[in-house]
């Protein structure tokens, strides 16, 4: 699949997919990388070293700092794939240097899939 | 994307490493979202101020920028901090937390940012005009500026707003363009809305439904700025709504194209559903009002309710330092304090470490706070209107 580069880099990993939007601030613990939003489909799961797939961001504008902090604390996702990346997530992944691509049909990706994300060329491959 | 000669120079590093790094972020965002050029901004609101939100990585990021002598070019205000910056000790905020928070404030001050610490800058002296281009973070303030004032800002992340403040420009895309400010869904409201919490419940429900779309509301007969601030804040928290229009009330409502929109309806049933969903607790240990930060009108209302009464359990109302000053002059602080309550400035319940201060269940009248408190402060929530909340603490 071909999309749009938000932040460059190449990475391969296991996908963790949310059909619901994801807010990082109040949504993910900055120290552990575990989703903490009550009732969220990914609640209790870790995003560390995963290819994190969700349609779009939501909620607080502090989310960019949470993404940056996850990276500094070594619990960040290895890559991010969105349907539509908005500014808050984009700012976070650019600062943190996390590969990220959007404009992808994320319905095709399932949790547990082995995914190759080439954000330099804006491509996503399910292996 | 077109860059002026001056801007090219910043990108080449002629204005220093910090400016280069910050401007590169803006250019990258501009390229992603198809901006044709940079546009000057007149006002910035920076989020990511509480130590609780940004922790050590964010603190070091800000101190690095400040230490290199970078200064903001336009009027720049700050979001709430993690504590009352003056009365933190009296209110029981932990000392080591305070130390780190003060380091963050110092870094911002060195950058020339007004160290205000409020999520309602528009009530405290950072007020853009209709159609002015601005770069704001703080989801509730973005919603208010775009919708109620008709200024123009994207949903900036904390660092991208800071970059705009240091560079004085923002990429021209998204909500800066008139064609991107058109509604994509109509929301017919038949429910009767009285309290701010009713508007919060409406916002929570609609935000969940429409995610990042632009709604056009009909059926809201009247709403003051406190109620609109509650509506926008809840919509921005449960979804990513950065702009809404209300027929007859908001400045762009008459001007936008609203034909052939998909429609959703919100009646009493949906409002009740939202109240039920947000209520996870039974009896509050503390009631915290002022999310977003209370206006003077909201504080005077609380003072009226508490006059001559005695609270069994604490009630806080959060606001900006500026509004607290006036409340003090009017004697509201004294009335609230005599009853056993507190006016807390510079911070709020979401960004302060209330879970470390012994509170387990918090009562709120804000859809936004009710949305965040369970995840971020490990709180059970009682979401109700101000009358019921205050009555329950007496």
């Amino acid at each position: 699949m071909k999309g749009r580069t938000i932040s460059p880099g190449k990475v391969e990993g296991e996908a963790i997919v949310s059909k619901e939007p994801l807010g990082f601030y109040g949504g993910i613990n900055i120290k552990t990388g575990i989703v903490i939003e009550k009732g969220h489909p990914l609640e209790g799961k870790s995003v560390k070293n995963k290819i994190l797939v969700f349609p779009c961001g939501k909620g607080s504008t502090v989310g960019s700092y949470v993404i940056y902090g996850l990276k500094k604390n070594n619990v960040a996702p290895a890559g991010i794939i969105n349907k539509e990346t908005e500014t808050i997530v984009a700012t976070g992944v650019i600062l943190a240097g996390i590969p990220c691509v959007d404009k992808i049909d994320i319905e095709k990706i399932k949790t547990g899939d082995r995914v190759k994300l080439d954000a330099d060329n804006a491509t996503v491959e399910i292996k | 994307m077109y860059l002026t000669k001056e801007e090219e120079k910043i990108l080449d590093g002629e204005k220093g490493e910090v400016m280069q790094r910050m401007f590169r972020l803006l250019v990258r965002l501009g390229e992603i979202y198809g901006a044709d050029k940079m546009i000057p901004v007149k006002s910035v609101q920076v989020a990511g101020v509480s130590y609780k939100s940004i922790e050590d990585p964010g603190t070091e990021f800000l101190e690095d920028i400040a230490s290199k002598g970078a200064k903001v070019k336009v009027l720049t205000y700050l979001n709430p901090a993690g504590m009352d910056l003056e009365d933190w000790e009296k209110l029981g905020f932990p000392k080591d937390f305070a130390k780190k928070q003060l380091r963050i404030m110092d870094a911002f001050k060195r950058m020339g940012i007004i160290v205000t610490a409020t999520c309602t800058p528009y009530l405290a002296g950072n007020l853009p005009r209709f159609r002015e281009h601005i770069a704001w973070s703080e989801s509730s303030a973005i919603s208010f500026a775009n919708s109620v004032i008709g200024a123009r800002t994207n949903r900036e992340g904390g660092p991208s707003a800071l970059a705009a403040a240091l560079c004085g420009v923002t990429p021209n895309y998204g909500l800066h363009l008139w064609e991107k400010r058109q509604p994509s869904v109509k929301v017919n409201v038949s429910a009767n809305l009285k309290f701010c919490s009713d508007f919060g419940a409406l916002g929570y429900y609609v935000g969940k439904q429409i995610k990042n779309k632009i709604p056009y509301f009909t059926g809201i007969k009247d709403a003051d700025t406190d109620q609109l601030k509650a509506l926008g804040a809840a919509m921005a928290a449960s979804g990513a709504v950065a702009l809404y229009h209300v027929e007859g009330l908001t400045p762009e409502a008459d001007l936008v194209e609203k034909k052939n929109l998909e429609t959703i309806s919100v009646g009493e049933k949906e409002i009740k559903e939202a109240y039920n969903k947000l209520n996870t607790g039974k009896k509050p240990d503390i009631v915290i009002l002022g999310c977003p930060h209370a206006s003077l009108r909201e504080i005077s209302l609380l003072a009226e309710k508490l006059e001559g009464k005695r609270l069994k359990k604490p009630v806080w109302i959060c606001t900006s330092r500026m509004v607290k000053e006036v409340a003090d002059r009017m004697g509201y602080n004294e009335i609230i304090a005599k009853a056993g309550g507190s006016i807390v400035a510079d911070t709020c319940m979401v960004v302060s470490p209330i879970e470390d201060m012994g509170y387990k269940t918090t009562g709120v009248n804000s859809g936004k706070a009710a949305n965040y408190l369970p995840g971020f402060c490990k709180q059970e929530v009682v979401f109700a209107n101000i009358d019921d909340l205050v009555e329950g603490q007496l």
Side-chain angles (χ1 to χ4, degrees), chain A residues 4-6 21 25-26 30-31 36 38 57-62 64-65 68-69 72-73 85-88 90-91 94-95, chain B residues 28-29 32-33 47-48 53-55 57 61-62 137-139 142 155-160 173 211 236 239 351 372 375-376:
Chain A
R4 171 174 72 172
T5 302
I6 301 293
Y25 177 70
I30 196 170
K31 282 203 182 80
I36 50 172
K38 285 264 180 285
K58 67 167 182 179
S60 169
T61 55
V62 181
S64 311
Y65 278 113
Y68 180 77
K72 291 277 164 188
N73 291 332
T85 306
E86 41 119 34
T87 323
I88 292 157
T91 300
I94 292 169
L95 279 182
Chain B
R28 184 72 205 113
L29 291 171
I32 294 168
Y33 297 110
S53 315
I54 65 171
E55 301 198 6
F61 172 81
L62 295 169
S137 42
E138 168 46 38
S139 60
I142 292 164
R155 266 168 61 79
E156 298 294 342
S160 68
Y173 71 93
K211 303 187 169 83
V351 299
Y372 282 139
F376 214 60

Side-chain angles (χ1 to χ4, degrees), chain B residues 115-270:
Chain B
V115 281
T116 37
T118 178
C119 50
T120 57
Y122 46 88
L123 294 179
N126 189 359
L127 180 64
R129 66 161 165 80
F130 183 53
R131 286 182 180 149
E132 190 160 74
H133 295 287
I134 61 176
W136 281 20
S137 42
E138 168 46 38
S139 60
S140 75
I142 292 164
S143 173
F144 193 94
N146 272 322
S147 314
V148 184
I149 300 169
R152 297 185 178 186
T153 179
N154 285 314
R155 266 168 61 79
E156 298 294 342
S160 68
L162 181 61
L166 293 167
C167 301
V169 294
T170 195
N172 188 35
Y173 71 93
L175 294 176
H176 291 286
L177 308 170
W178 174 240
E179 63 269 23
K180 296 285 164 85
R181 299 176 67 84
Q182 307 303 313
S184 46
V185 56
K186 196 166 173 181
V187 183
N188 282 332
V189 181
S190 59
N192 193 20
L193 308 168
K194 183 183 167 200
F195 292 99
C196 279
S197 54
D198 299 339
F199 283 84
L202 171 65
Y204 176 79
Y205 178 83
V206 172
K208 276 260 179 229
Q209 301 289 316
I210 67 168
K211 303 187 169 83
N212 57 358
K213 289 182 182 161
I214 299 173
Y216 181 89
F217 285 95
T218 60
I220 299 177
K221 285 169 212 85
D222 195 13
D224 63 25
T225 44
D226 295 332
Q227 293 164 327
L228 292 174
K229 125 171 120 63
L231 171 67
M235 260 192 301
S238 70
V241 178
L243 166 63
Y244 63 91
H245 304 288
V246 184
E247 186 180 51
L249 299 186
T250 60
E252 291 180 341
D254 290 345
L255 309 170
V256 292
E257 183 54 61
K258 50 238 170 212
K259 278 188 208 120
N260 306 321
L261 295 176
E262 67 162 300
T263 302
I264 61 172
S265 298
V266 184
E268 305 290 350
K269 186 177 139 264
E270 284 75 20

